[in-house]
Amino acid sequence: MMKSLFLACLICITQLNAADIVVYGGVPCGIAASIAAAREGAKVVLIEPTRHVGGLSTSGINTAESEHMLKWTIGGFADEFYRRLGAHYQTGGPEYFFESSVAEKIYLDMLREAGVELRFGVSVDKVAKEGARITEITLTDGSRLQAQVFIDAGYEGDLMARAGVKYAVGRESKTEFGEEAAGIRFDKTPRSARTVDEIGTLLPGISAWAKDLHEGDAHRAPMNYNFRLTVAKDPKLQVPIPAPKHYDQKRYALLASWFRDQTQQKKPVKLEDIIDLYRRRNGKFEMNNKQSAIYSLGHFGGQFEWPNATYEERARIYQDHMDYTLGLLHFLATDDSVPANVQEEMKSLGLHKDEFVDNGHLPYQLYVREARRMRGEYVVTQQDVQADRRKPDSIGMSSHFIDCHHVQRVALNENEFVNEGRIWRMGHAYQIPYRALTPKAAECTNLLVPGAASYTHVAFCTLRLESVWMITGHASGIAAAFAVKNDTTVQNVSLAPLQDKLRAQKQVVDFIPGLPEKCEHLNGPPEF
């Protein structure tokens, strides 16, 4: 009896399933790809390693970030999603500011309406290929999936990497692609704070000595990650912010030193000098890393190993980021070095009781701003997003600022440091080339990569928004459906019919005469 049951379970686990298209990553990019392909009649399976779809749109980033881009470039599926949010909130048009729980409900409704099959809680383990073609993938539960076309929509490019497609991690040098903003970038203004402990060891949160790094050189790490907590100021809407599982006061020694210095100089300090709080709907505030702060939610240096880490290693890095985040909030509320008014401000906040209710009211996903980036048929560079902005194989447009958060802190001496890695440049409308979504044909012929797409680090800073990723996802879904229908490789999908279909579905593929091409963000910080 037990042997029969074991065999039955084994058969179930190793079952081989087939679909026309398999999409990896239930983030907005993958949702758009899945729905677009399913609407074309394809049988689609969407795999999401967590238990929730929506990526960061349902894990605390409650904006389309349209405040830093030209709204006319947001079309197709992305516009449809924001219009459904508008219908929910009865705003009479697209709504670019929302709640995570509402976004998740709308995504699930759209997936159900399109007939997309969802698989939760499994990750890609192995990829089998014949020549340059993926034949099947094996998931971490042992199940196997075959498809004619695969789409890697995830933040990390895990399916792409396991398929043997070349990729980059970190930042290119200035010379590799001739990019003025590339490579190591030191902030201009030193910050005063003790950088070493009593025996001269760099304090936590400081990665290196500046003398060991050189402006413009390549660097192995992407920009920092953080959690986007949803908090409330109204006590009626709050649940307590939990203490971290592992608290180490020494992690915040740099911040403690700065607080003491401010106190000695009698300079007033507020919580908003450390953490950004964005007002959202229904008493919710979105908590974010503050770029100008001496210390904030961004875990500088904690992200270095994430892109190529195993799933087990990522679980440890994830927990380290959570401990860092909750530890910082605990430090701000309780440590003697923190001014009393900042402590009281911190204590007045709580997690919002209506969000992430099955996860202790904490976001489901870490904000992985950047991880792997494919080296595909075409590599989009800084020149493509600022100057050479027209492409014959356009499948959509972006216009977001080149926005890179800091990567690390580096010590200038024992009492000064600078942050490193920040880029903030005006956005320009530019056409996203289809070639940036396709691997080189010699590497893989039935894979599309709209998430970890073929961009340099600098250019990727204009792609890494959920609103833009829905645009590349939409295009990939249609391209995959065309490849299935015509039994062709993704590289040989006919461009004109693809573009015509996207235009018919209100994707913005072309420049529109008379509309602005520069994103003038007059209220933001200066470019640097």
Side-chain angles (χ1 to χ4, degrees):
M1 175 74 174
M2 290 298 292
K3 184 177 181 180
S4 298
L5 181 60
F6 173 79
L7 289 173
C9 290
L10 183 62
I11 291 170
C12 177
I13 290 173
T14 59
Q15 182 179 355
L16 180 62
N17 297 298
D20 296 322
I21 298 167
V22 167
V23 180
Y24 188 73
V27 297
C29 181
I31 294 170
S34 300
I35 292 172
R39 288 173 177 173
E40 293 299 303
K43 179 182 178 183
V44 181
V45 176
L46 173 60
I47 301 164
E48 169 47 44
T50 73
R51 297 288 176 180
H52 293 267
V53 299
L56 269 295
S57 285
T58 59
S59 277
I61 297 185
N62 298 148
T63 171
E65 309 215 40
S66 57
E67 60 270 37
H68 302 142
M69 61 196 304
L70 299 165
K71 293 183 179 66
W72 68 262
T73 61
I74 303 175
F77 178 88
D79 183 62
E80 179 183 353
F81 169 68
Y82 295 123
R83 287 185 183 278
R84 291 192 57 156
L85 283 169
H88 173 86
Y89 290 118
Q90 299 181 329
T91 57
E95 178 51 54
Y96 299 123
F97 299 95
F98 48 89
E99 299 159 274
S100 291
S101 52
V102 173
E104 184 173 15
K105 179 183 182 303
I106 290 174
Y107 278 135
L108 288 171
D109 287 346
M110 296 176 80
L111 287 163
R112 184 179 61 255
E113 292 164 9
V116 174
E117 179 183 339
L118 274 166
R119 295 211 45 199
F120 288 106
V122 287
S123 301
V124 60
D125 184 20
K126 300 174 184 177
V127 175
K129 293 172 71 179
E130 289 182 1
R133 185 175 181 83
I134 298 173
T135 55
E136 67 177 50
I137 64 173
T138 302
L139 302 176
T140 48
D141 65 352
S143 62
R144 296 148 59 206
L145 274 171
Q146 290 183 339
Q148 289 180 256
V149 178
F150 294 81
I151 299 175
D152 188 343
Y155 298 131
E156 293 88 1
D158 288 336
L159 173 56
M160 169 195 72
R162 285 164 175 77
V165 172
K166 291 181 181 178
Y167 61 87
V169 172
R171 296 169 288 161
E172 296 85 0
S173 68
K174 283 188 175 184
T175 58
E176 184 172 354
F177 289 93
E179 296 176 300
E180 166 274 328
I184 290 171
R185 296 173 53 84
F186 297 122
D187 282 5
K188 305 305 180 194
T189 306
R191 295 168 179 263
S192 298
R194 188 71 177 167
T195 61
V196 297
D197 62 17
E198 60 278 2
I199 61 172
T201 302
L202 291 174
L203 291 175
I206 298 181
S207 303
W209 291 96
K211 63 182 175 60
D212 296 326
L213 302 172
H214 300 94
E215 188 97 11
D217 280 1
H219 190 270
R220 69 186 184 93
M223 66 188 93
N224 75 80
Y225 306 160
N226 65 272
F227 286 101
R228 297 287 278 258
L229 278 66
T230 301
V231 300
K233 295 183 178 181
D234 184 345
K236 296 177 182 177
L237 302 175
Q238 293 178 352
V239 294
I241 298 173
K245 290 182 179 179
H246 308 99
Y247 179 65
D248 182 359
Q249 183 191 36
K250 294 178 182 177
R251 299 187 83 165
Y252 315 102
L254 186 69
L255 180 57
S257 173
W258 181 78
F259 275 133
R260 294 189 188 101
D261 183 63
Q262 300 302 104
T263 300
Q264 289 174 1
Q265 297 184 46
K266 297 183 179 181
K267 292 182 178 179
V269 178
K270 296 181 180 179
L271 183 62
E272 65 184 28
D273 295 323
I274 307 300
I275 293 173
D276 269 334
L277 284 175
Y278 309 144
R279 183 183 295 274
R280 298 297 185 232
R281 295 176 176 275
N282 296 316
K284 297 173 184 176
F285 290 81
E286 181 179 334
M287 188 177 280
N288 191 23
N289 180 49
K290 190 176 186 72
Q291 290 284 11
S292 59
I294 190 168
Y295 224 74
S296 190
L297 293 176
H299 184 3
F300 291 16
Q303 81 282 14
F304 279 31
E305 307 303 328
W306 179 278
N308 281 320
T310 66
Y311 298 135
E312 292 76 15
E313 289 166 343
R314 282 187 191 156
R316 290 193 290 272
I317 297 169
Y318 180 100
Q319 185 58 51
D320 180 57
H321 274 75
M322 186 61 76
D323 285 338
Y324 168 84
T325 303
L326 296 179
L328 174 62
L329 303 185
H330 180 75
F331 173 87
L332 291 171
T334 63
D335 196 84
D336 290 343
S337 66
V338 180
N341 66 298
V342 176
Q343 286 195 34
E344 290 307 309
E345 284 184 87
M346 187 65 243
K347 289 176 182 177
S348 72
L349 298 176
L351 300 178
H352 199 289
K353 67 182 182 63
D354 293 339
E355 289 294 345
F356 322 122
V357 295
D358 58 345
N359 195 49
H361 305 279
L362 294 167
Y364 306 121
Q365 293 206 22
L366 177 64
Y367 187 8
V368 177
R369 292 183 169 93
E370 176 189 26
R372 298 183 179 102
R373 301 183 310 279
M374 181 173 63
R375 284 289 189 254
E377 289 281 4
Y378 186 88
V379 180
V380 178
T381 69
Q382 180 178 357
Q383 291 87 330
D384 292 303
V385 305
Q386 287 190 316
D388 302 329
R389 296 178 287 115
R390 284 159 171 79
K391 295 292 181 287
D393 57 337
S394 170
I395 46 76
M397 299 187 72
S398 177
S399 58
H400 198 274
F401 268 48
I402 300 177
D403 179 14
C404 179
H405 285 233
H406 289 111
V407 176
Q408 60 185 332
R409 297 181 192 86
V410 294
L412 294 173
N413 51 55
E414 293 184 349
N415 296 297
E416 288 183 308
F417 74 93
V418 289
N419 289 338
E420 187 275 309
R422 178 74 166 131
I423 314 172
W424 180 253
R425 300 287 177 79
M426 179 186 294
H428 295 74
Y430 73 91
Q431 293 176 311
I432 301 169
Y434 178 63
R435 291 164 292 163
L437 312 184
T438 61
K440 293 178 179 177
E443 295 176 4
C444 197
T445 58
N446 65 334
L447 173 68
L448 287 158
V449 186
S454 184
Y455 276 58
T456 65
H457 161 74
V458 176
F460 194 81
C461 296
T462 70
L463 180 80
R464 62 171 194 85
L465 300 311
E466 305 292 13
S467 51
V468 182
W469 270 325
M470 282 190 278
I471 291 167
T472 58
H474 180 174
S476 293
I478 299 299
F482 278 20
V484 169
K485 288 178 183 178
N486 298 313
D487 192 23
T488 189
T489 66
V490 296
Q491 290 84 3
N492 287 331
V493 167
S494 295
L495 184 62
L498 172 60
Q499 290 174 320
D500 287 343
K501 173 65 76 168
L502 291 169
R503 291 184 185 105
Q505 295 178 349
K506 299 182 180 180
Q507 181 94 304
V508 181
V509 175
D510 311 293
F511 281 88
I512 300 175
L515 292 183
E517 296 185 13
K518 290 183 180 180
C519 181
E520 303 281 2
H521 187 57
L522 300 179
N523 295 321
E527 297 186 20
F528 57 92

